[in-house]
């Protein structure tokens, strides 16, 4: 290898033994760029041991949603655009923690208009299925059954897959149930819950706010119903669209069983 050669390596493609021999026996300086997909390296791994022994390691974290929130306004400014705080809030509400989506939607908005307001984001940035599932859950818990049913029917009109929506609803209610158990039974605070469940503190805050209107027992009833519904759909005993519509219409009865 040449001195100070920038060496990009994919460890999946290169035999580990060859890499270790080349790395350990080289008398030249090497600059290695390695990409990891896990938060913590295994110190017992032979490659990691060799790197720790022979190299000076610098970690560069990838782009995160928090860093994007801090630099979003300058990002639009570089595109020659301004964006209001309300518009920015709605944008992040719709894209969640997806960095790629932010870049795509920000670039699209910057082409659409130079002074971006909340209504521009509402028009240009689609509501993701995950957020629609969250909105359905929130409306069900807060007894806004008509709004939940209208949202569901709109999604079906848009050709969204009902089984996928069922899974998202189950995931959301499972999170509510886990938060409910930790918050009301184990008496954990919101920061502790976020750490235990490894979810964003804001999601915990929203879930805790909704727990005023739904008990742990009710959430358990809802999860049991969704599990049985999933089994019936897989067994072709009921049409998925009809199953979800019945779940929304009968929601009060289901949670109060």
């Amino acid at each position: 290898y040449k001195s100070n050669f920038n060496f990009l390596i994919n460890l999946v493609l290169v035999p580990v033994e060859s890499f270790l021999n080349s790395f350990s026996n080289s008398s030249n300086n090497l600059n290695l760029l390695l990409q990891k997909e896990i938060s913590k390296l295994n110190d017992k791994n032979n490659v990691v041991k060799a790197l720790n022994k022979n190299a000076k390691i610098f970690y560069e974290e990838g782009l995160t949603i928090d860093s994007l929130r801090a630099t979003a306004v300058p990002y639009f400014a570089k595109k020659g655009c301004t964006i209001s705080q309300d518009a920015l809030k709605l944008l992040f509400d719709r894209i969640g923690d997806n960095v790629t989506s932010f870049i795509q939607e920000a670039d699209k908005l910057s082409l659409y208009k130079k002074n971006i307001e909340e209504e521009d984001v509402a028009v240009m940035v689609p509501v993701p299925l995950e957020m629609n599932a969250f909105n359905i859950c929130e409306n069900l818990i807060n007894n806004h059954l008509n709004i939940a049913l209208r949202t569901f029917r709109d999604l079906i009109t848009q050709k969204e897959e009902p089984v996928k929506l069922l899974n998202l609803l189950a995931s959301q209610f499972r999170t509510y149930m886990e938060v409910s158990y930790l918050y009301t039974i184990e008496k954990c605070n919101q920061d502790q819950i976020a750490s235990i469940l490894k979810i964003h503190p804001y999601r915990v805050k929203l879930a805790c706010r909704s727990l005023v209107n739904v008990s742990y027992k009710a959430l358990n009833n809802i999860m049991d119903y969704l599990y049985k519904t999933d089994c019936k759909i897989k067994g072709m005993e009921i049409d998925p669209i009809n199953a979800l519509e019945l779940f929304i219409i009968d929601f009060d009865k289901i949670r109060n069983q």
Side-chain angles (χ1 to χ4, degrees), residues 89-108:
K89 181 180 182 302
L90 181 58
L91 175 59
F92 280 110
D93 284 346
R94 293 202 171 181
I95 65 169
D97 58 359
N98 191 317
V99 175
T100 302
S101 292
F102 169 82
I103 295 172
Q104 291 174 342
E105 298 301 336
D107 290 350
K108 183 170 66 176

Side-chain angles (χ1 to χ4, degrees), residues 179-202:
V179 171
S180 178
Y181 177 81
L182 292 170
Y183 191 65
T184 63
I185 299 176
E186 294 294 327
K187 305 301 180 184
C188 296
N189 62 43
Q190 293 185 16
D191 289 337
Q192 290 172 323
I193 295 170
S195 177
I196 292 169
L197 298 181
K198 294 180 172 55
I199 59 177
H200 196 281
Y202 185 64

Side-chain angles (χ1 to χ4, degrees), residues 135-220:
N135 290 337
I136 289 173
C137 291
E138 284 283 290
N139 283 312
L140 288 173
I141 288 174
N142 292 291
N143 296 313
H144 302 145
L145 303 188
N146 288 337
I147 298 176
L149 189 59
R150 184 166 63 247
T151 301
F152 167 70
R153 287 173 174 167
D154 287 344
L155 291 174
I156 295 303
T157 301
Q158 296 165 19
K159 306 298 182 183
E160 292 290 356
E161 176 56 49
V163 173
K164 184 178 181 181
L165 180 58
L166 174 65
N167 291 334
L168 289 172
L169 292 175
S171 176
Q172 185 63 48
F173 278 115
R174 186 182 302 110
T175 298
Y176 281 133
M177 190 169 72
E178 291 169 343
V179 171
S180 178
Y181 177 81
L182 292 170
Y183 191 65
T184 63
I185 299 176
E186 294 294 327
K187 305 301 180 184
C188 296
N189 62 43
Q190 293 185 16
D191 289 337
Q192 290 172 323
I193 295 170
S195 177
I196 292 169
L197 298 181
K198 294 180 172 55
I199 59 177
H200 196 281
Y202 185 64
R203 286 189 65 194
V204 176
K205 180 181 178 180
L206 292 177
C208 288
R209 186 181 65 187
S210 297
L211 293 180
V212 175
N213 297 315
V214 64
S215 67
Y216 178 76
K217 182 179 182 300
L219 290 166
N220 195 52

